[in-house]
Amino acid sequence: VVPAATPAAAVLARRPDGVVLSNGPADPAAVTYAIESIRQLLGKVPIMGICLGHQLIGCALGGRTYRLNFGHHGCNHPVMDLTTRQVEITSQNHNYAVDPATLPAEVEITHLNLNDNTVEGLQHRTVPVFCVQYHPEAAPGPHDAAYLFARFRTLIGKA
């Protein structure tokens, strides 16, 4: 566990098997130091992002974020995993979303919010990085999002 402002070189010096970018408050576009660190980590270590981590990964991969009119707060937000077509009931707490029109072709949208069709998950087609906008660690269904952590362990095993 390191503070958010830890430079990528210091993270890599710890020789992590993987990096999890956690949630936190902020306008993701304003956290430029984190976006730059993530760019430096891409391709060097598997990365999983949650909530703000998702938004920062979106920015590091070339996308932009925008402020939602009302935000997503609380539980019971339906999200579809586009890779399996399964719907999860999620817990959320954010005011920004990744703009899908700004993502490069090598970034795949993996999850969509079924209430407003905002991007809820991304992965890169060749670099070991993926993220979700919601909080899998706080899922209303206690095991609904366990597959995300298994997916991350698989990415680490391939590195």
Side-chain angles (χ1 to χ4, degrees), residues 70-135:
F70 301 105
H72 296 161
H73 303 285
C75 59
N76 297 326
H77 290 265
V79 171
M80 180 178 282
D81 180 340
L82 299 175
T83 65
T84 64
R85 308 300 291 175
Q86 291 198 318
V87 175
E88 302 169 49
I89 303 304
T90 67
S91 213
Q92 303 199 16
N93 189 28
H94 61 273
N95 291 309
Y96 291 86
V98 175
D99 182 353
T102 65
L103 294 169
E106 60 271 12
V107 177
E108 177 183 3
I109 296 170
T110 59
H111 294 74
L112 281 180
N113 186 301
L114 296 180
N115 287 333
D116 61 8
N117 288 320
T118 53
V119 174
E120 291 279 347
L122 302 170
Q123 69 183 9
H124 195 280
R125 296 184 195 281
T126 59
V127 177
V129 59
F130 77 95
C131 51
V132 291
Q133 177 63 78
Y134 56 92
H135 291 263

Side-chain angles (χ1 to χ4, degrees), residues 10-43:
V11 172
L12 292 172
R14 293 172 168 256
R15 301 175 44 106
D17 293 325
V19 171
V20 176
L21 303 171
S22 67
N23 50 312
D27 172 353
V31 193
T32 56
Y33 63 87
I35 294 167
E36 184 53 37
S37 288
I38 294 165
R39 284 186 182 129
Q40 293 173 26
L41 292 171
L42 289 169

